Amino acid sequence: MTTSESVWTCPFRHDEALEFDPFLARLRSEPPVTRIPMPRGGGTGSADDAAEDGPGGPGAPGSGGPAAGAAWLVTRHRQVRAVTSDRRFSRAALIGRDIPRVTPDLVDHAESINLMDPPAHSRLRGLVAAAFGDRRVEELRPRTQRTVDALLDAMADHGSPADVSDWLAAPLPLTTVFELLGVPEPDRAPLRRWATAMMSPGTPDGAAAAEGKAGLRAYFAELTAARRRHPGSDLLSALAAVREDGELLDAREVAVMGMLLLVTGHNTSAHQISNMIYTLLTHPAQLERLRARPELLPSAVEELLRFIPYRQGVGIPRQATEDVELDGVTIRAGETVHVSYLAANRDESVYDRPDELDLERQGAPAHLTFGHGTHHCLGAHLARMQLQVAIGTLLTRFPGLHLAVPAEEVRWNTRSIWRFPLALPVAW
């Protein structure tokens, strides 16, 4: 199989509500490994970049504007798993390169675990994995249940209607990750603003995103130093105290790890709680099925994770460190490779009726919402537990829950890579 004759653009875009990205939907009729122009970044080093970005590409009507460089995009379940498991596709090799990409910022946090390859990645991941393992997460479940109960008590006291995003979805994950990291209460509001800004690269100059990143990095550098002077029982204190061969971990690694855990641990779970509530309330037959059979909750959460297009564009890419043949296509050393977990989650070759929400789906392979391989999400167990407790408790507590406004009046985020309702008014 060879790559498509077509040349596509991969814009930073926002579709209606949680509509599946039409661009990715069109690519499902293309080969699994497709050459596409990207809106930002330089070329891949290939002499063919200029030719491939020609008349059918970035300048074409409806293409979304000029693209700066070409990259490979992998869209099928099997091929995405292959790329994310193959060490010949490196993230560390991206650092400092003007790679073809969707977002304005360059990849520049060399100390970030998301940009490491083994063995450095394995070393750092091993130090924090215990905090997010099944046993530790289950120990946190009772505390999470108490937090959810208290949040819903407050929402009930406020009365119907209420914005479930404000009363439940936003505060729950943030409270959890702040407690894990030992962030003092007075510091939490600015950190939330910076984290939100950092993941909002859709502004013309990206200034807010850059400011958010700088603010978070500086804060966690200071907090790491403070934890080394006065350690506590939190995760950041534990990381700050770790020694290898008699030496403390690099303070920059600890600070960037704290920053990463805050951003990913808060945003993903908060937005997905809102997205899941919206999806259930707009799929009444599936909602009634879950109400009638609450034991379906764990599998229902997995199906919702598969079904919901939780972000825009594509994530952190990889670079081929040598020539690699994938599905009949030769990816040259130095070329950039993006994978789409969202498209892989709708792969009709592995999921029957992939565009339908089916809370009783049987026999399907695991979704790729939390990634795969070396960079599978560290906090996946924690996110699953929070989602189960939040969604299950909400539906039990408010059996008559429904949207307080017509679905088309729900307002959606259009300023970051995340897709989520800005407010989700519900009544009961």
Side-chain angles (χ1 to χ4, degrees):
M1 186 177 293
T2 60
T3 187
S4 169
E5 294 288 334
S6 304
V7 180
W8 302 86
T9 185
C10 187
F12 183 90
R13 62 174 299 152
H14 286 271
D15 306 301
E16 293 297 322
L18 290 177
E19 174 194 8
F20 190 70
D21 187 339
F23 164 73
L24 292 177
R26 288 194 302 170
L27 277 181
R28 286 161 59 180
S29 65
E30 296 292 311
V33 186
T34 307
R35 188 82 159 158
I36 61 168
M38 287 286 182
R40 296 180 176 87
T44 61
S46 166
D48 295 330
D49 277 322
E52 296 207 27
D53 293 344
S63 67
W72 296 102
L73 178 62
V74 182
T75 55
R76 303 296 200 281
H77 198 278
R78 178 175 63 83
Q79 288 81 3
V80 167
R81 287 170 58 94
V83 168
T84 53
S85 302
D86 191 331
R87 292 191 180 186
R88 294 174 295 178
F89 295 108
S90 166
R91 281 190 172 177
L94 300 171
I95 296 169
R97 295 187 65 242
D98 188 20
I99 57 173
R101 63 192 186 277
V102 175
T103 55
D105 288 343
L106 291 171
V107 175
D108 61 357
H109 282 310
E111 304 87 0
S112 171
I113 191 171
N114 275 353
L115 301 174
M116 292 180 178
D117 296 331
H121 175 274
S122 305
R123 173 186 64 85
L124 191 55
R125 186 181 178 98
L127 295 173
V128 298
F132 296 98
D134 288 348
R135 180 176 178 180
R136 173 60 174 154
V137 166
E138 286 308 309
E139 290 174 353
L140 292 173
R141 188 181 287 265
R143 182 190 302 177
T144 302
Q145 184 67 65
R146 290 192 295 271
T147 301
V148 169
D149 290 340
L151 292 170
L152 294 182
D153 284 345
M155 189 172 88
D157 290 342
H158 170 275
S160 175
D163 179 3
V164 75
S165 295
D166 274 351
W167 289 100
L168 175 65
L172 173 61
L174 201 60
T175 298
T176 302
V177 75
F178 280 152
E179 289 179 354
L180 281 173
L181 294 172
V183 174
E185 183 70 38
D187 298 345
R188 296 181 180 185
L191 290 186
R192 181 180 180 182
R193 289 196 299 270
W194 283 333
T196 301
M198 180 178 166
M199 303 308 291
S200 303
T203 54
D205 59 4
E211 181 182 348
K213 181 188 292 186
L216 286 173
R217 188 162 189 167
Y219 176 83
F220 278 105
E222 292 181 8
L223 189 59
T224 297
R227 290 293 181 267
R228 282 188 167 163
R229 293 191 300 269
H230 305 289
S233 58
D234 55 274
L235 178 58
L236 200 70
S237 292
L239 289 173
V242 167
R243 292 183 179 271
E244 287 190 319
D245 300 325
E247 298 292 330
L248 289 170
L249 278 184
D250 189 306
R252 292 171 298 178
E253 285 185 339
V254 178
V256 172
M257 176 61 76
M259 171 180 161
L260 178 67
L261 291 173
L262 172 63
V263 172
T264 59
H266 161 240
N267 283 343
T268 306
S269 294
H271 303 333
Q272 285 290 55
I273 291 172
S274 292
N275 287 339
M276 287 186 179
I277 296 168
Y278 172 86
T279 300
L280 287 170
L281 296 183
T282 53
H283 290 75
Q286 294 295 316
L287 175 59
E288 287 310 307
R289 186 176 299 180
L290 181 56
R291 287 193 186 282
R293 298 182 58 197
E295 70 274 12
L296 288 176
L297 181 62
S299 60
V301 166
E302 297 306 308
E303 171 67 355
L304 287 161
L305 286 166
R306 180 201 70 83
F307 178 78
I308 293 171
Y310 64 99
R311 62 165 295 151
Q312 297 284 348
V314 289
I316 301 174
R318 292 161 174 80
Q319 178 181 308
T321 57
E322 59 183 82
D323 290 359
V324 181
E325 184 172 310
L326 180 64
D327 213 66
V329 174
T330 299
I331 298 173
R332 302 294 182 187
E335 291 184 330
T336 301
V337 182
H338 291 265
V339 301
S340 174
Y341 295 126
L342 299 183
N345 281 344
R346 298 287 185 105
D347 187 344
E348 62 274 8
S349 71
V350 296
Y351 298 106
D352 182 38
R353 300 169 288 107
D355 295 323
E356 294 182 22
L357 178 68
D358 181 358
L359 300 189
E360 295 184 271
R361 188 177 294 277
Q362 300 291 323
H367 62 76
L368 298 178
T369 299
F370 292 119
H372 181 71
T374 302
H375 290 283
H376 182 269
C377 177
L378 261 173
H381 298 308
L382 180 62
R384 283 186 169 100
M385 183 271 287
Q386 290 182 354
L387 291 167
Q388 290 171 12
V389 173
I391 301 299
T393 307
L394 179 71
L395 296 182
T396 300
R397 182 75 178 270
F398 302 98
L401 194 75
H402 59 276
L403 287 178
V405 297
E408 59 270 19
E409 292 184 14
V410 175
R411 296 178 299 113
W412 293 85
N413 170 63
T414 59
R415 294 180 61 84
S416 78
I417 64 173
W418 305 113
R419 300 179 68 172
F420 60 94
L422 295 175
L424 191 58
V426 297
W428 54 90

